[in-house]
Amino acid sequence: MPVSTTSPRNAQASGCLTLFGLVFAIPGIAVGVSTFRKLVADRTDAKQIVLGFTMALMFAGAGIGLMVWGRVSARLAAKNRETIARDPEKPWLWRDDWARGYAQAEWKSNAAIMSVIGAAFLLFSAPMLMNLPAALLREHPFQTALVLLFPAVGVLLLGQSAGAYLRSRKFRDTRLRLSSVPCPTGGKLQGRVEAGFVFPPGAAVDLRLSCIRSYVSGSGDDRTRWERILWQERNTGAASTDGQATYIAVEFALPYDAQGTDVRNSDDEILWKLTASSNLPGLDFNATFLLPVFKTAAGDPALTTAAIEAHDEARLAGAQPAGSKIVTRPATSGGYLFYFGAARNKRTAAIFSLFGAVFLGSGLFFGVAGGQAFGWIVGLIPITLSGGIGLLLLMFSFWMWLGTTTIEVLNRELHIRSGCLGISRSRVIPASTIRDFQLDPSVQAGQDVLYDLKLKLASGRSAVAAGGLEKREAEWLRAELKKDLGIHD
């Protein structure tokens, strides 16, 4: 992970982690010893034994983990301070791999995080499964499914962790060799991915470069880390091999107006990531690299996001991108028509449907259980919060499954009609009122980003012409609408 700047508070934080770890570890060890004594004395049943040892493992494991992390973080902080003191104005030298001219694949950190979370889910599930009434499956299958969701997620995360470990073994010594460090905004990211594994002849590699804001919301114990993709570009690279290793050429233009890597505040970071993936026999190749992208004097201020998008539009030369799901045809009224059918992004719609169902189901389950135990006011809290989020996600996924949009250009006017199950909305926007077309990364599902094509109007307001677009088809649609409306940059 990136190195962040440190302060004298690091030592205090390390001591707090140790003390906080003791608060968890001592009760956990006490519960474990008590459960073991009852087991030896044969004074308890199997459910109590499982519950006791599960609680002991959870508390003792969390406590010992916090104490170990406190010691390790203190040593890392001391090492980081020494590194930063040597080159305080050159943050691209603060990581060992960056200083040596490459970016190491992030295998181990991803595997470790998924292992810890997966193990926690399984430990949390053990007493729930032991106390699950046999009649619950017959009488309340929906509630049973929610209970089984926790161990299923734990198994899935542990499987993902095992996959990351196996990939690190299969694709050994994987790194991104950079042509220059740092990579300047307003310049080029150039280099090649090197992997100690021979790819099949002609294997294509999907390359995805993303500028990401990683931030923490909430306070106290209720803190959640989010990742929002601010900018993304995709490309396809061809794998070449010398019989012992594989090499994939990488080249991207970096917009000057994008933010550079900034990890000074661990609660609000800017990260640049390159993801390289390819479908291969057995385990697929999927590696992520953190990049040293910074603003330097070598950057060209003219190489902005708009300039890069204009270059991409010109390269399309009016040809609709392969795989685009936009249907185009002359309109009966004499203009030109663009039709966006239902279920154009099935994977994203399925992800939102799944999360919506989980949030709604969890809200109802814990709301009913809390209402029965503590009264309807307490039960209303999870129903309102979690259930409300679930309903919003399901409504959005419902639109992605069934919603359609039609755009028609007629007499230098943009006619936009959106509909779902007979409910429709129409708008007419004259070309004279449109000041700009902008791509907005509005929907994010994992590393997939879908864009809205937004119109900036003379009134200062904005309107969405079309949503749920891949970046290339959004750029193509923007160029086509400008041409048909007679708008010139």
Side-chain angles (χ1 to χ4, degrees):
M1 292 299 293
V3 178
S4 58
T5 56
T6 57
S7 68
R9 288 182 299 175
N10 286 106
Q12 297 178 3
S14 175
C16 289
L17 284 175
T18 302
L19 292 175
F20 199 51
L22 287 172
V23 173
F24 279 87
I26 292 175
I29 294 173
V31 171
V33 171
S34 176
T35 304
F36 180 76
R37 287 179 176 175
K38 292 180 179 179
L39 176 63
V40 173
D42 195 22
R43 291 184 298 173
T44 186
D45 59 18
K47 291 183 179 180
Q48 291 180 335
I49 292 174
V50 171
L51 179 60
F53 281 126
T54 299
M55 297 296 294
L57 284 173
M58 290 179 64
F59 279 85
I64 294 172
L66 287 171
M67 289 188 289
V68 171
W69 175 243
R71 297 295 299 273
V72 171
S73 63
R75 294 177 182 176
L76 289 175
K79 181 180 178 181
N80 293 343
R81 283 195 296 271
E82 295 176 1
T83 303
I84 294 170
R86 287 197 299 267
D87 297 288
E89 303 300 326
K90 297 180 179 179
W92 51 87
L93 298 180
W94 295 354
R95 276 182 53 138
D96 292 339
D97 53 348
W98 292 355
R100 297 174 183 175
Y102 64 87
Q104 194 74 37
E106 300 290 314
W107 305 111
K108 295 181 180 179
S109 59
N110 294 337
I113 292 172
M114 288 186 290
S115 296
V116 171
I117 298 176
F121 267 86
L122 288 179
L123 284 174
F124 183 73
S125 304
M128 295 172 61
L129 295 176
M130 287 293 297
N131 291 278
L132 188 66
L136 186 64
L137 180 60
R138 297 189 303 269
E139 299 175 1
H140 304 284
F142 182 71
Q143 296 181 9
T144 305
L146 289 176
V147 172
L148 297 177
L149 182 64
F150 286 92
V153 171
V155 172
L156 177 62
L157 289 173
L158 289 178
Q160 293 288 331
S161 173
Y165 173 76
L166 293 175
R167 284 188 179 90
S168 69
R169 301 289 296 177
K170 178 179 179 179
F171 306 105
R172 59 189 182 279
D173 299 326
T174 298
R175 62 185 59 181
L176 171 61
R177 182 73 61 180
L178 299 166
S179 61
S180 64
V181 175
C183 308
T185 57
K188 294 277 190 179
L189 165 65
Q190 293 177 314
R192 69 176 187 179
V193 176
E194 302 173 353
F197 180 84
V198 178
F199 282 33
V205 182
D206 179 64
L207 301 172
R208 193 177 320 207
L209 177 65
S210 305
C211 176
I212 300 171
R213 182 192 174 201
S214 176
Y215 62 98
V216 174
S217 64
S219 60
D221 295 332
D222 187 18
R223 291 164 55 87
T224 305
R225 179 167 290 276
W226 304 88
E227 286 195 350
R228 178 171 176 252
I229 295 178
L230 305 176
W231 180 88
Q232 187 179 86
E233 190 62 84
R234 298 182 66 171
N235 204 347
T236 301
S240 60
T241 179
D242 58 5
Q244 296 181 339
T246 295
Y247 307 97
I248 306 154
V250 176
E251 181 172 345
F252 287 92
L254 301 172
Y256 185 82
D257 51 349
Q259 299 182 65
T261 301
D262 188 352
V263 295
R264 290 171 295 180
N265 180 5
S266 60
D267 288 345
D268 194 353
E269 302 174 325
I270 300 296
L271 308 175
W272 282 81
K273 292 184 180 181
L274 176 74
T275 301
S277 57
S278 181
N279 295 326
L280 301 177
L283 281 175
D284 293 336
F285 179 71
N286 193 345
T288 300
F289 309 91
L290 292 173
L291 305 176
V293 177
F294 294 93
K295 286 191 180 298
T296 68
D300 180 6
L303 190 62
T304 60
T305 300
I308 294 174
E309 291 177 356
H311 177 268
D312 292 339
E313 289 180 15
R315 193 168 54 180
L316 289 171
Q320 187 170 358
S324 173
K325 301 179 181 66
I326 303 175
V327 179
T328 61
R329 63 176 181 268
T332 55
S333 55
Y336 210 70
L337 184 143
F338 302 86
Y339 177 72
F340 306 80
R344 289 180 295 112
N345 302 288
K346 295 183 177 63
R347 180 178 179 274
T348 304
I351 291 175
F352 276 91
S353 299
L354 175 61
F355 276 94
V358 169
F359 270 93
L360 179 59
S362 299
L364 294 175
F365 176 77
F366 290 107
V368 172
Q372 293 176 348
F374 305 104
W376 67 270
I377 296 180
V378 174
L380 193 62
I381 296 175
I383 291 178
T384 303
L385 296 179
S386 180
I389 294 174
L391 281 176
L392 290 175
L393 292 174
L394 287 175
M395 290 171 62
F396 182 73
S397 66
F398 192 75
W399 164 256
M400 296 194 72
W401 285 116
L402 302 175
T404 62
T405 301
T406 303
I407 298 178
E408 184 179 355
V409 179
L410 179 63
N411 298 327
R412 297 201 68 216
E413 289 182 336
L414 205 59
H415 297 249
I416 306 172
R417 184 172 63 256
S418 303
C420 182
L421 295 180
I423 302 174
S424 62
R425 178 192 179 195
S426 298
R427 289 168 292 168
V428 178
I429 303 176
S432 59
T433 65
I434 300 175
R435 293 292 175 261
D436 194 14
F437 292 77
Q438 294 182 351
L439 303 187
D440 179 35
S442 58
V443 178
Q444 179 179 334
Q447 295 187 23
D448 294 331
V449 180
L450 298 178
Y451 291 80
D452 287 346
L453 179 56
K454 282 190 173 181
L455 310 177
K456 294 297 182 180
L457 306 179
S459 62
R461 303 180 64 183
S462 62
V464 176
L469 304 171
E470 299 285 347
K471 189 173 186 181
R472 286 290 177 264
E473 66 177 355
E475 292 172 339
W476 168 80
L477 177 64
R478 176 169 60 181
E480 292 299 299
L481 291 180
K482 285 182 178 181
K483 180 178 65 177
D484 296 339
L485 288 169
I487 297 177
H488 305 284
D489 293 328

